[in-house]
Each structure stands twice: as C-alpha cells, then as structure tokens.
Amino acid sequence: DIYAPDIARDLPVVMFVHGGGWDKGNRKYVQNKPDYLNGKGYVFVSIDYRLLPQTQVADQAKDVEAAFAYVRKNIAKHGGDPRRIAVMGHSAGCHLTALTGLRGGLPGVAALVLSDVESYDLVAFMQAGKRKNIYGDVFSDPAQWESLSPTTYAGTRVHPPIFIAY
C-alpha cells in the first residue's frame, strides 16, 4: 500500500515491514504512520510478506527484498525518490528489516529504522536460554540461527545509517 501526499514529487520514502511474530499481521496494520509521515513530507509504503507456517523465515526475508526492489523500481510514479528509501520494521518486521539490510539484500537503501525485537543475535539469545514464547517455535532449528541473525552480517560490508529503538 502506498500513501503519498497529494502533490508528491521526489519525496523521501519510508517502507514499513509489519510485525506479528512471523505468523500474523499484514500491511494494513500501520496505525497513524501514513498520516504522520505524509505530513512530514514522506511517501509511506507498507508491504506484506508470506507468513508462517506456510513459509519459512528465510523466505520472508526474500519477500522483503523483493518488495524493496519493486518499490525502488516503481516509487517515482507515486512521487517518491528511489534513491532515498528508508526501511522501517517493527517486531518480526524489525528482525526481517535488520536481516535483509545488514546482509546486503536492500541495495541502495538509505537507512534502516529498527523497532522492538530481541532477535538481532539469535545464537546468543537462544544459547542464553531465551527460547521463550514465539522464538522457540519460530527458530527451533539451531542450524539456522547464525544465517538468520542480523548480527552475523554486521561489519561484513558498508551499511546504511541505522536507528535502533529497543
């Protein structure tokens, strides 16, 4: 979903990745973000990704990367600047944003805005006995912890500016 001010032209863009524990939520759960960001001179885009159990977290990350590529290619038609796209995620969407952004799956992203998740370092988190609630179910395979941990990719390339709210 694309929310743009009436007379949008070359505006910066915020692409939002919703939360929901990797198994629920959708692009409609944006609260007041579109109105607020449109009022500040941004185009706001909210995306969907396939949910568990019909898919895996690794495929959800690929969905986020595909959505970013689509937005980057098409946002100018809606008044957005494809060179100035920040990706913002909340909860599970935060994990997916951090993972895709740090591993290089969002080429040309201007910034990452990360809000409310405990899964930046799944290896440390799970080994520390934090296998609670949804994390134990979603990340049940220890063989995937490293590849699905955003911190695995920190320092592996030049990263965009990152704002973390925790």
Side-chain angles (χ1 to χ4, degrees), residues 3 5 14 30-44 88:
Y3 305 82
V14 173
V30 294
Q31 299 163 313
N32 66 341
K33 292 173 193 69
D35 289 340
Y36 178 79
L37 288 165
N38 284 174
K40 298 291 184 184
Y42 290 84
V43 172
F44 183 82
M88 175 172 68

Side-chain angles (χ1 to χ4, degrees), residues 129-148:
K130 304 288 184 167
R131 297 182 194 198
K132 61 179 186 178
N133 301 330
I134 186 124
Y135 294 100
D137 295 334
V138 173
F139 302 106
S140 60
D141 182 358
Q144 293 183 334
W145 293 348
E146 187 173 350
S147 67
L148 295 177

Side-chain angles (χ1 to χ4, degrees), residues 140-162:
S140 60
D141 182 358
Q144 293 183 334
W145 293 348
E146 187 173 350
S147 67
L148 295 177
S149 292
T151 56
T152 298
Y153 308 97
T156 60
R157 60 183 41 85
V158 175
H159 300 298
I162 300 171

